Amino acid sequence: MSNSKFSRRGVLKTGMVASAGLALPQYLRADAHAGFTNAPGDSEVILGFNVPQTGPYADEGADELRAYELAVEHLNGGGDGGMLGTFSSKALDGTGILGREVKYVTGDTQTKSDAARASARSMIEKDGAIMITGGSSSGVAVAVQALCQEAGVIFMAGLTHSNDTTGKDKRANGFRHFFNSYMSGAALAPVLAANYGTDRKAYHLTADYNWGYTTEEAVKSSTEAMGWETVNAVKTPLTQTDFSSYIAPVLNSGADVLVLNHYGGNMVNSLTNAVQFGLREAQANGKNFEIVVPLYSRLMARGAGANVAGIFGSTNWHWSLQDAGSQAFTRSFGTKYGFPPSQAAHTTYVQTLLYADAVTRAGSFNPCAVAEALEDFEFDGLGNGPTLYRGADHQCFKDVLVVKGKENPENEFDLLEIVEVTPVEQVTYAPDHPQFAGGALGTCNPGA
């Protein structure tokens, strides 16, 4: 259920609109601008922040919520303005969105698709949210994106890395700033080849849901193309906390690399178990045994501690980047909360600004006008360098970071070092690439 962060005064419920089986309230502006779900009143606009506040990805969810609150503060003219000052688009001026104060409601996805859909539905039906964003699970993202498509609101995906989100399960009302599994594989493979050679045997442990499947597929495809052999690939439950029974067979499998297609608390626990079983000191096939974590975050590195030292992975963004946008965001976030932001915080902050900017450039909250403003939009100054929101699939294309755990971190936040900034050209693919096959974007649904 959503937790209201605003007063309901000033929002006028004028009727119900049926949309694909959903009974949704419509909030009409004073100038009677109807025609889409939850059109805001003259004074405020409601956004829905749907994040994992419990479950294995709760750390990411907490940081996402911090970033959302910071974005709202900046949009409403508070604080130092953060990335509003570095964003290449100059449409936002700190007066809310189209002159309306930004308010928000929150919900707990619990890292469960059913709970996330229920939370998002409540935000739309009961709270009048015109845009839903958040999540740190691709299963959740796919489920909520489909709901938003049915309801006729924009979904600005949070942390979701599965190819499916902008692949077979893409939707016209959904947009993703975060990178994806294919991009991780394309960025990591050359670095792994340079450091570990092309004659390797890999054993995959994979979270048993769509993100795990596509990450395993992407990393297998990219590493096998450079000569690696995949010895085994084993699925593990998302709810698993002790991975000992999955780690034990690895050393006798003939593999000399363990790929952990795990995220959040799952990765912290599985890596810890792997170290406890001696994999970091082991040898196999005459080589030092290695571990790879395809998707990294500072929060995971903090949880795993010294176990991450020297382990390669990829990430969407890192607070140590020296571009003006990254520095502005890190400074704002650090001033407000006392520590640097994670990649989850970064992508959700950016998504909020991108939505507000698209509404402003379109001059309308109508989701179809917003979608048109986002499609094939090129921008800079938000921390990832020049970026394209591709119209064909609503996926952002930008440089990808390859990182590894620091051997001698200087403090509790200095845990990852950037070893390669992979240019966007290396991670770009055709919209009909086999790893993204199936499904159709469809057409925007305004809901009313």
Side-chain angles (χ1 to χ4, degrees):
M1 300 299 289
S2 59
N3 174 29
S4 180
K5 295 287 186 181
F6 64 97
S7 167
R8 293 300 302 274
R9 290 175 296 178
V11 180
L12 176 65
K13 182 176 178 179
T14 61
M16 303 298 290
V17 178
S19 174
L22 290 176
L24 300 172
Q26 183 163 1
Y27 296 77
L28 301 183
R29 283 170 34 184
D31 62 0
H33 180 40
F36 59 94
T37 299
N38 291 346
D42 289 334
S43 61
E44 62 185 29
V45 58
I46 313 305
L47 308 182
F49 300 152
N50 205 23
V51 304
Q53 299 183 48
T54 57
Y57 296 167
D59 283 350
E60 278 72 21
D63 231 30
E64 287 180 336
L65 194 53
R66 294 182 189 105
Y68 283 133
E69 292 172 346
L70 184 63
V72 168
E73 179 181 321
H74 290 165
L75 289 172
N76 287 333
D80 62 8
M83 285 185 173
L84 266 65
T86 62
F87 190 11
S88 58
S89 173
K90 301 305 179 185
L92 300 174
D93 60 5
T95 59
I97 306 177
L98 290 184
R100 293 157 178 81
E101 183 181 5
V102 182
K103 303 283 189 176
Y104 64 93
V105 290
T106 68
D108 182 8
T109 69
Q110 304 174 41
T111 318
K112 298 176 181 177
S113 296
D114 289 346
R117 282 178 64 97
S119 180
R121 184 188 295 269
S122 176
M123 292 176 180
I124 297 168
E125 294 184 356
K126 297 181 180 179
D127 299 317
I130 195 170
M131 183 270 277
I132 301 296
T133 179
S136 292
S137 156
S138 291
V140 162
V142 166
V144 175
Q145 181 169 257
L147 174 74
C148 289
Q149 181 70 38
E150 297 166 8
V153 300
I154 290 290
F155 176 63
M156 299 296 284
L159 195 160
T160 167
H161 187 246
S162 170
N163 290 343
D164 293 351
T165 308
T166 47
K168 71 180 184 64
D169 294 309
K170 59 183 174 287
R171 296 289 187 273
N173 282 44
F175 292 83
R176 171 164 60 178
H177 170 263
F178 206 71
F179 73 146
N180 58 44
S181 299
Y182 174 90
M183 295 173 177
S184 286
L188 274 172
V191 175
L192 296 177
N195 284 272
Y196 301 148
T198 56
D199 180 21
R200 285 284 185 165
K201 300 182 186 299
Y203 191 111
H204 289 251
L205 290 181
T206 300
D208 192 9
Y209 74 109
N210 62 346
W211 170 72
Y213 310 150
T214 67
T215 302
E216 177 189 299
E217 178 187 22
V219 176
K220 284 172 61 177
S221 176
S222 63
T223 55
E224 288 174 0
M226 68 186 191
W228 285 26
E229 176 187 344
T230 302
V231 172
N232 203 357
V234 178
K235 304 298 186 289
T236 63
L238 184 60
T239 55
Q240 193 76 21
T241 56
D242 185 347
F243 291 85
S244 299
S245 61
Y246 294 96
I247 299 294
V250 175
L251 276 175
N252 298 318
S253 67
D256 47 50
V257 177
L258 172 62
V259 181
L260 293 176
N261 301 303
H262 290 156
Y263 194 74
N266 289 161
M267 173 271 185
V268 171
N269 291 331
S270 62
L271 178 58
T272 299
N273 289 154
V275 172
Q276 290 170 342
F277 272 77
L279 265 65
R280 302 237 37 196
E281 293 79 35
Q283 286 201 330
N285 306 321
K287 305 176 179 71
N288 291 333
F289 201 98
E290 305 293 351
I291 301 175
V292 177
V293 177
L295 179 59
Y296 246 136
S297 80
R298 179 187 65 77
L299 298 175
M300 290 159 54
R302 182 189 65 187
N307 294 333
V308 304
I311 292 180
F312 287 104
S314 67
T315 191
N316 189 66
W317 177 85
H318 193 259
W319 65 268
S320 66
L321 288 168
Q322 294 300 299
D323 62 279
S326 294
Q327 289 184 313
F329 177 57
T330 299
R331 181 170 55 251
S332 293
F333 191 97
T335 298
K336 188 175 181 67
Y337 300 113
F339 47 85
S342 65
Q343 65 171 356
H346 171 258
T347 201
T348 52
Y349 177 94
V350 168
Q351 282 284 71
T352 309
L353 263 57
L354 285 168
Y355 171 78
D357 175 76
V359 170
T360 305
R361 288 186 292 108
S364 173
F365 288 96
N366 188 308
C368 297
V370 175
E372 288 178 6
L374 284 169
E375 289 176 344
D376 294 319
F377 176 50
E378 296 179 272
F379 59 91
D380 202 349
L382 295 183
N384 289 109
T387 302
L388 168 69
Y389 234 135
R390 188 163 70 180
D393 51 11
H394 296 183
Q395 172 66 55
C396 270
F397 287 85
K398 53 194 184 298
D399 296 345
V400 170
L401 305 181
V402 177
V403 296
K404 71 175 180 178
K406 276 198 170 183
E407 300 284 355
N408 298 296
E410 296 179 4
N411 57 61
E412 61 178 310
F413 308 114
D414 180 43
L415 303 175
L416 299 175
E417 61 178 306
I418 299 169
V419 297
E420 184 81 25
V421 179
T422 306
V424 62
E425 294 80 13
Q426 187 175 317
V427 299
T428 298
Y429 52 87
D432 61 351
H433 187 281
Q435 290 187 34
F436 297 83
L441 193 65
T443 58
C444 173
N445 174 26

